Amino acid sequence: MRLERVRHVERHSAGGKLAAHPNAPLCRAIMARRFDHPPSAEEIEAIARDALARLPDSFATHLADVVLQVDEFAEDELLTEMSIDHPLDLTGVYEGIPIGQRSVETSGTLPDRIRLFRQAILAEWCEEGEPFEHLVRHILIHEVGHHFGFSDEDMHALENQE
């Protein structure tokens, strides 16, 4: 069995340094735009499920069995495996076997899973200042793209469809 883990790291800060420690207060000025509190895991999941529902119908049948999960942080083991130094550098991960790599030998494996990491998403949101729903959709589509074995160019084209 082959398990592919793909990271999504698109945080761009000056000098490559993180903007805040994970326990530091979140950026209230940016959050005031739409939320009066940091979005919960349930709110992030609802936004992600809405983004999934808006994908073209041709994707729906292939995503029906993919588990969507929102965790606070990636666990240390995953970060180490992916050579990531800080938990705020990983906003999402696809865990599974991309559709194009499946065979009869992969039957009986665990279901594919897309995990979103709440604290890393909140940190990127504060740092970048883009609309929260757009950020969650961007991360989700990136991970969906790994499920389909898409290139970054294909993922951007999918993200621009709506």
Side-chain angles (χ1 to χ4, degrees):
M1 177 178 86
R2 180 170 173 229
L3 176 66
E4 182 170 312
R5 295 184 189 228
V6 184
R7 69 178 170 167
H8 175 246
V9 180
E10 288 194 13
R11 298 185 67 232
H12 307 287
S13 57
K17 295 190 179 189
L18 294 170
H21 186 274
N23 296 327
L26 296 172
C27 304
R28 284 305 216 182
I30 293 173
M31 284 186 205
R33 291 182 312 182
R34 182 158 171 121
F35 297 95
D36 62 351
H37 63 282
S40 68
E42 292 78 17
E43 289 168 310
I44 293 172
E45 182 177 343
I47 292 167
R49 290 200 182 281
D50 182 62
L52 281 173
R54 293 174 183 265
L55 291 174
D57 291 338
S58 58
F59 292 97
T61 57
H62 298 288
L63 293 169
D65 294 327
V66 175
V67 175
L68 176 62
Q69 181 176 328
V70 179
D71 297 322
E72 284 299 301
F73 291 101
E75 62 278 359
D76 290 339
E77 179 182 288
L78 174 61
L79 296 170
T80 300
E81 180 181 323
M82 297 180 72
S83 301
I84 297 174
D85 295 328
H86 198 284
L88 293 183
D89 282 340
L90 185 63
T91 57
V93 67
Y94 166 73
E95 298 171 313
I97 302 167
I99 288 175
Q101 297 176 12
R102 295 171 188 248
S103 71
V104 293
E105 295 173 7
T106 60
S107 66
T109 60
L110 292 173
D112 292 347
R113 179 168 67 162
I114 293 174
R115 295 171 61 200
L116 304 177
F117 301 110
R118 179 177 173 267
Q119 292 296 330
I121 292 170
L122 293 173
E124 184 170 331
W125 179 43
C126 285
E127 190 174 286
E128 300 297 326
E130 66 182 288
F132 191 75
E133 292 84 353
H134 179 266
L135 176 62
V136 171
R137 183 174 188 275
H138 172 77
I139 295 165
L140 177 78
I141 287 176
H142 189 91
E143 302 314 328
V144 164
H146 289 301
H147 174 68
F148 288 100
F150 288 172
S151 68
D152 283 342
E153 187 176 282
D154 293 333
M155 288 181 218
H156 290 297
L158 178 59
E159 187 174 4
N160 290 331
Q161 292 180 6
E162 187 161 18

